[in-house]
Amino acid sequence: MTNRRLSALAALLLATLPLTATAQEPAKAKPVFAPIARTAYRTPQFRLELRTDTQTLARLSPTAEPGFDFVPGAREAERAGDGYVHVGDIHLRLRTAGGIWRDFSSAHQRRPIRRLAAGGATLAAADITASLGEGSPLRVERRWIAEGGALALRFVLTNISEQAVEVGGLGLPMVFDNIITDRSLEEAHAQASFVDPYIGRDAGYLQVTRLNGKGPALLVLPEQATPLEAYRPIQQAGGGARPGDIFTDRSKRGQTSEGFYDWTVASKGFAEQDWKTAEEQWNTPTSFTLAPGTSRTIGVRLVTSPSIRAIEDTLVANGRPVAVGIPGYVVPTDQDATLFLKSPKPVARIDSYPAGALTATPVKSGAGWARYAIRAAGWGRATLLITYADDSVQTVSYFITKPLEQAMADLGRFSTTRQWFEDPSDPFKRSPGILTYDRQAEKIVTQDPRVWISGMSDEGGAGSWVAAIMKQLDNPDAGEVAKLERVVNETIVGGLQVAEGEHVGAVRKSLFYYAPDAFPTYYDPKTNWKTWTSWSKTDAGDLGRSYNYPHVAVGHWVLYRLARNHDGLVKAHDWRWYLDHAQLTAVAMMRDAPYYAQFGQMEGDVFVDILKDLRREGLTAKADELEALMKARADHWKTLPYPFGSEMAWDSTGQAEVYAWMRFFGHQKQADETREVILAYDPTLPSWGYNGNARRYWDFLYGGKVARIERQIHHYGSTLNAVPLFDAYRADPSDLHLLRVAYGGLMGGITNIDREGFSSAAFHSAPDMMSWDPYSGDYGMGFFGHAYAAATYLVNDPTFGWLGFGGNVGQANGVVRIEPRDGARTRLFVAPIGAWLTLEAGKIDAAAYSPATGELTLTLAARDASTSAARLRVEATTKGARPYRPAGAVLERGAYTLPLAETPTTIVLTPVNLERPAP
């Protein structure tokens, strides 16, 4: 797939997750379009071209990379007609007193523009009023200006009518080249860009990053009176747009093209008309009024940042206010958080919405940043409104959660009770099972025409039981474990997974299927069962989709870990049986699903752990077999410039496993390249929604109840992509950017869990919804990433000082103390000494680090009914770091066994080379 071009039709087919066939239609000749006349310009940062007829942007190349184009200039000819939006267009929703909203678009039906005088800093200017259509009460003049190294795009709106005009919708199309259609993966990584918004009002901006993660990046910054109030998707004309909508684009939106968005300055008119049923917007929708004869100037500035990591420095250099939230913008009520602000104007006041949800208390800071201690109360979305001395307003979006220990318990309880399916008469043998749940209908989804959603496999059907079992990894509950053993041993093995014979260990695509002849009264007749998604029994039983295998491997591996490290939790089989079946599943994937196994798998990190556990247990033959199979995949990936293919044209879920095996087999160069590619689609921004939100915009089609192309907030890619970034940070703790992005993704995955423990597939970011999808769908893949990577990080940053990610930090008498509050309390990284501590059993109550002596003291929680001893691994992850170990502890299977008592136990760890040598 990575080496062939994808036609638009093939790309659409590949977007449909599990295929019954992979054949493409015969290639059709591409239409030939006449070239469009352009005028070229140069500024210190850009080489640009404007269309001669419309003066819209047709090329934007950074001076440092003149062969790269941030806009889809290569497609300009095919996108030249009416109804295609470009940078330089404008959308307006207007009304006069007592009137209705009227819409005007410069792109819908173009008319000749009237050129205005240019020269000096002004590259081009025009009156574009005619292109808005008949009856516009506003005159609109547009100018392209080279100023201070930046490229400015400015509009002057003048009321030429005799009545006051309310501007309730004002959008500037942001058209950047995110189109993957007809490109190979190599071409897409070299030529395409992704856009991420910080919807922060006067401090808002867009960052446009190249798919390969290399610099320069592009920043779109607001000029005065141009807040980024909302980020409105521009719907496809005739394909999802409401009737009569002229704020559309004719380009196809789909898995190979996310589509374009409006930088929305005023949104009250949209909120009143198009978004009436939506939940709360990122910012309060506003409008502004122009009296007759008055004008307002709006505009944006385009600048380059030398790299993704330099974006915040570039913002500061351009006089923009910058916010840095530590550990991020998802705040459990028992955790301390910090907000650092740097701005050209001092802070006048900070308000919380809702009132009392967030408290920002100034803290002394000598680092050139204003520092605020943040405490949260309640639950759900909240916003800090920061007003500066010049009356500009910045908004920072937070999400408040329960303490994570409670959130974990809620998820475990909900998934094993409300989602528990037990019906011995079920014709599809899904009992006992944990099925997809519909929060809107408050019932289990026993049938859906996308049959996998009700069939316990593919991501949309396996998500719920994978989440339930991953919850047990660090937070086991005896009753929940008993139910999950039944699911694995009664429904998965022998049902979803082949139990014996030549295909032993292979995994079927779905237990549920469409067979009206066999079950004529079962299926809802009001539902459309005539699409490819309603698999037959034969199609549902297909073994060839490799992505189903890690789900089952996860189930076996977690039960192995519980059986091996805890007392009496697992009863149906011993630890060896579950570890054998985990290995068997991985081997079967390579045997029975080899085509898609050439790509990285979501949750594929589990295969690395299975291999390591086989080695630790001395199961050498099984380990050798698995390692040889995995090495063949890694050797193949090493030969590819961008080894991130999948069943999709482009994907964001295989990178984590690719990174893991590159690191395991010593291919550091490829691991580093994978890390940088992840950073291209995984940003750090002052918003709980977009911070660490790995790009995903098509999986509502396959795992959601509201099925449409839409940028998803904290779909499972957020946490899965956090895993390699955490590993990369532990190898280089000087790169705080990695940790900030990773922790944003890790905690973003918690926002999907509601107050009762229901877990949604993702959040609908489009402003006509702004809510969680009612289906649990494929959330479990995201919870795998959270449970797998949950940890506390103790950091001493040269700018911000001592920080805790996932734990509360205090200092006294030269000792730094951290109390973990993450969702596991079994992993701790002490960055100054590169010490990575992980517990297979037991919990960390606190840790104390003495910078002067290097001594590290752990306080382990008291024993419980199933945990009589802690199992501690200690790894030095940074170059030159000294390995630590607890004095007198016994090393077994690569971990120290530490007996626990009825009260907390204190363990002192010291660097090995500081200890007296053994006699």
Side-chain angles (χ1 to χ4, degrees):
M1 183 183 303
T2 58
N3 294 317
R4 69 169 185 261
R5 292 180 176 272
L6 298 165
S7 69
L9 176 61
L12 179 61
L13 290 173
L14 284 169
T16 51
L17 284 178
L19 300 179
T20 55
T22 57
Q24 297 184 28
E25 288 189 353
K28 298 178 182 178
K30 295 181 67 174
V32 177
F33 299 94
I36 301 300
R38 308 180 186 188
T39 304
Y41 304 88
R42 296 192 68 166
T43 74
Q45 293 190 30
F46 298 106
R47 295 183 181 181
L48 66 142
E49 295 176 359
L50 302 179
R51 279 178 51 174
T52 304
D53 56 348
T54 65
Q55 283 189 1
T56 52
L57 193 61
R59 177 193 176 191
L60 185 67
S61 299
T63 302
E65 288 281 349
F68 180 79
D69 191 354
F70 282 112
V71 300
R75 301 174 190 266
E76 186 64 30
E78 66 191 71
R79 300 189 69 255
D82 288 352
Y84 289 99
V85 294
H86 300 267
V87 178
D89 280 316
I90 191 168
H91 291 145
L92 293 166
R93 176 164 288 180
L94 313 173
R95 70 181 174 189
T96 55
I100 62 171
W101 291 114
R102 299 174 61 203
D103 293 346
F104 300 90
S105 166
S106 65
H108 183 59
Q109 291 181 334
R110 294 191 184 276
R111 298 290 184 271
I113 62 175
R114 182 169 63 89
R115 296 177 182 279
L116 301 175
T122 300
L123 305 178
D127 181 333
I128 66 170
T129 308
S131 202
L132 295 175
E134 297 294 329
S136 171
L138 301 186
R139 181 174 67 242
V140 179
E141 296 179 357
R142 180 188 60 211
R143 288 172 174 81
W144 294 94
I145 301 170
E147 186 175 83
L151 174 64
L153 167 63
R154 291 187 189 138
F155 296 85
V156 179
L157 312 179
T158 303
N159 184 355
I160 56 175
S161 75
E162 296 180 354
Q163 293 179 281
V165 175
E166 182 181 6
V167 181
L170 198 171
L172 306 180
M174 294 288 114
V175 182
F176 298 106
D177 191 0
N178 60 13
I179 304 170
I180 302 169
T181 311
D182 294 326
R183 283 171 169 164
S184 68
L185 274 183
E186 289 83 356
E187 291 169 332
H189 280 86
Q191 300 168 9
S193 300
F194 286 139
V195 188
D196 287 295
Y198 168 36
I199 312 169
R201 285 181 54 169
D202 295 314
Y205 62 89
L206 304 180
Q207 61 179 55
V208 187
T209 54
R210 301 166 65 185
L211 263 66
N212 57 23
K214 297 177 181 179
L218 172 68
L219 299 181
V220 185
L221 310 177
E223 294 203 316
Q224 188 173 8
T226 316
L228 182 51
E229 180 172 289
Y231 194 55
R232 191 189 70 86
I234 299 173
Q235 297 295 341
Q236 179 185 328
R242 63 174 178 79
D245 187 358
I246 66 170
F247 302 145
T248 58
D249 185 82
R250 289 170 57 192
S251 303
K252 282 191 175 182
R253 299 175 78 231
Q255 195 275 326
T256 58
S257 182
E258 181 181 351
F260 311 121
Y261 294 78
D262 264 348
W263 177 300
T264 306
V265 176
S267 60
K268 179 183 175 182
F270 297 123
E272 288 185 353
Q273 193 161 292
D274 305 305
W275 309 341
K276 290 186 295 186
T277 60
E279 295 190 13
E280 208 165 80
Q281 300 297 321
W282 295 113
N283 296 297
T284 301
T286 67
S287 65
F288 62 91
T289 298
L290 291 175
T294 63
S295 299
R296 176 165 170 171
T297 301
I298 63 166
V300 294
R301 299 170 70 83
L302 285 68
V303 302
T304 58
S305 171
S307 67
I308 291 172
R309 288 173 179 79
I311 284 174
E312 287 168 347
D313 289 340
T314 303
L315 292 171
V316 170
N318 281 270
R320 306 306 305 153
V322 177
V324 173
I326 302 294
Y329 310 94
V330 179
V331 185
T333 54
D334 66 340
Q335 284 192 29
D336 299 332
T338 306
L339 182 66
F340 295 92
L341 299 175
K342 179 175 280 192
S343 57
K345 300 292 184 180
V347 174
R349 71 176 190 275
I350 299 180
D351 299 304
S352 169
Y353 179 81
L358 296 164
T359 303
T361 304
V363 177
K364 183 178 180 181
S365 174
W369 293 74
R371 178 173 182 160
Y372 296 86
I374 306 297
R375 293 294 299 184
W379 187 91
R381 293 173 58 193
T383 302
L384 283 181
L385 294 92
I386 304 159
T387 302
Y388 293 100
D390 61 356
D391 291 327
S392 64
V393 177
Q394 174 175 17
T395 55
V396 179
S397 300
Y398 282 86
F399 198 99
I400 302 169
T401 74
K402 295 181 180 182
L404 295 184
E405 185 177 60
Q406 294 181 30
M408 301 296 103
D410 291 345
L411 180 143
R413 181 172 55 254
F414 194 102
S415 60
T416 58
T417 55
R418 302 276 287 276
Q419 294 183 250
W420 181 255
F421 177 76
E422 187 149 18
D423 179 5
S425 65
D426 178 53
F428 305 99
K429 311 300 182 188
R430 296 169 292 181
S431 175
I434 295 174
L435 302 187
T436 295
Y437 194 82
D438 183 343
R439 191 61 156 143
Q440 190 175 50
E442 295 292 8
K443 66 179 184 180
I444 288 173
V445 183
T446 56
Q447 55 176 291
D448 188 290
R450 298 161 292 178
V451 295
W452 58 86
I453 286 178
S454 300
M456 290 182 62
S457 202
D458 271 26
E459 291 67 65
S464 292
W465 65 262
V466 168
I469 206 159
M470 278 304 296
K471 180 266 176 185
Q472 312 305 319
L473 179 65
D474 293 306
N475 296 281
D477 174 275
E480 293 168 6
V481 171
K483 284 187 169 183
L484 287 160
E485 274 207 279
R486 288 190 61 202
V487 172
V488 169
N489 290 294
E490 298 177 34
T491 304
I492 292 178
V493 176
L496 196 61
Q497 183 173 39
V498 178
E500 56 188 8
E502 62 177 324
H503 297 292
V504 62
V507 180
R508 299 179 173 92
K509 293 202 296 186
S510 176
L511 289 174
F512 183 60
Y513 49 86
Y514 182 59
D517 293 340
F519 312 114
T521 63
Y522 190 89
Y523 304 97
D524 183 352
K526 297 187 294 295
T527 298
N528 178 15
W529 297 94
K530 301 301 182 183
T531 72
W532 69 267
T533 68
S534 298
W535 293 333
S536 66
K537 183 177 182 179
T538 299
D539 292 335
D542 182 78
L543 307 176
R545 187 174 184 272
S546 61
Y547 301 100
N548 297 323
Y549 288 69
H551 313 330
V552 174
V554 164
H556 292 308
W557 176 72
V558 171
L559 290 174
Y560 154 73
R561 283 286 184 104
L562 294 176
R564 193 62 163 126
N565 299 304
H566 296 272
D567 306 320
L569 281 177
V570 176
K571 299 175 180 178
H573 300 287
D574 63 11
W575 64 264
R576 174 68 187 268
W577 191 92
Y578 287 111
L579 184 56
D580 283 348
H581 276 71
Q583 189 263 7
L584 181 68
T585 306
V587 171
M589 179 183 78
M590 301 303 297
R591 181 192 64 222
D592 291 305
Y595 179 75
Y596 288 132
Q598 71 179 292
F599 307 126
Q601 311 288 297
M602 66 284 287
E603 309 137 82
D605 307 76
V606 74
F607 295 137
V608 180
D609 280 271
I610 291 167
L611 176 56
K612 289 179 178 179
D613 284 330
L614 290 166
R615 293 275 182 226
R616 291 166 184 148
E617 298 289 3
L619 301 175
T620 304
K622 288 182 177 293
D624 288 348
E625 180 185 23
L626 181 58
E627 183 168 340
L629 292 170
M630 297 299 138
K631 188 175 186 302
R633 299 170 74 209
D635 287 346
H636 170 64
W637 294 334
K638 187 184 177 185
T639 68
L640 303 175
Y642 298 104
F644 314 121
S646 82
E647 58 194 334
M648 302 297 191
W650 174 87
D651 213 334
S652 59
T653 55
Q655 284 83 345
E657 193 198 3
V658 170
Y659 175 92
W661 287 120
M662 293 298 99
R663 285 273 281 161
F664 183 87
F665 289 114
H667 305 319
Q668 190 60 47
K669 178 177 180 291
Q670 286 78 13
D672 292 345
E673 290 170 350
T674 304
R675 176 197 67 209
E676 296 305 296
V677 165
I678 292 172
L679 293 178
Y681 58 78
D682 201 348
T684 178
L685 292 164
S687 164
W688 71 266
Y690 289 91
N691 191 45
N693 183 46
R695 181 167 305 274
R696 200 73 166 183
Y697 52 88
W698 61 86
D699 261 348
F700 281 137
L701 296 176
Y702 314 115
K705 184 172 184 178
V706 181
R708 63 187 189 181
I709 294 291
E710 177 181 13
R711 182 70 184 274
Q712 296 171 274
I713 297 294
H714 297 309
H715 186 255
Y716 62 72
S718 293
T719 57
L720 293 184
N721 282 279
V723 175
L725 297 184
F726 278 128
D727 181 86
Y729 173 76
R730 293 193 297 270
D732 180 12
S734 68
D735 193 347
L736 189 67
H737 182 86
L738 295 171
L739 182 58
R740 290 173 56 198
V741 176
Y743 225 86
L746 181 83
M747 293 301 293
I750 290 300
T751 62
N752 304 56
I753 304 170
D754 74 12
R755 277 174 282 195
E756 293 185 2
F758 167 78
S759 50
S760 168
F763 184 85
H764 287 270
S765 70
D768 65 340
M769 279 195 69
M770 291 295 290
S771 59
W772 298 99
D773 192 85
Y775 271 12
S776 55
D778 48 15
Y779 172 67
M781 289 66 249
F783 191 74
F784 168 87
H786 180 89
Y788 186 84
T792 292
Y793 288 74
L794 178 62
V795 177
N796 188 14
D797 184 75
T799 299
F800 299 129
W802 286 103
L803 306 172
F805 286 73
N808 295 338
V809 177
Q811 299 179 62
N813 302 319
V815 174
V816 183
R817 178 180 171 87
I818 188 163
E819 296 180 356
R821 293 287 187 272
D822 65 82
R825 287 174 46 219
T826 60
R827 304 174 195 93
L828 171 68
F829 183 64
V830 184
I833 54 175
W836 178 227
L837 291 75
T838 60
L839 288 171
E840 292 179 347
K843 298 274 188 181
I844 302 172
D845 277 350
Y849 168 63
S850 172
T853 66
E855 186 174 274
L856 180 62
T857 302
L858 283 185
T859 301
L860 302 179
R863 62 185 299 164
D864 61 35
S866 62
T867 312
S868 59
R871 295 265 306 148
L872 173 67
R873 299 187 191 282
V874 186
E875 180 184 356
T877 63
T878 59
K879 186 176 182 180
R882 297 174 294 178
Y884 276 63
R885 74 181 185 194
V890 177
L891 189 64
E892 298 176 316
R893 306 191 318 276
Y896 297 103
T897 299
L898 305 167
L900 299 175
E902 298 299 326
T903 57
T905 301
T906 299
I907 305 295
V908 177
L909 297 94
T910 53
V912 170
N913 62 349
L914 293 186
E915 294 181 352
R916 195 182 312 169

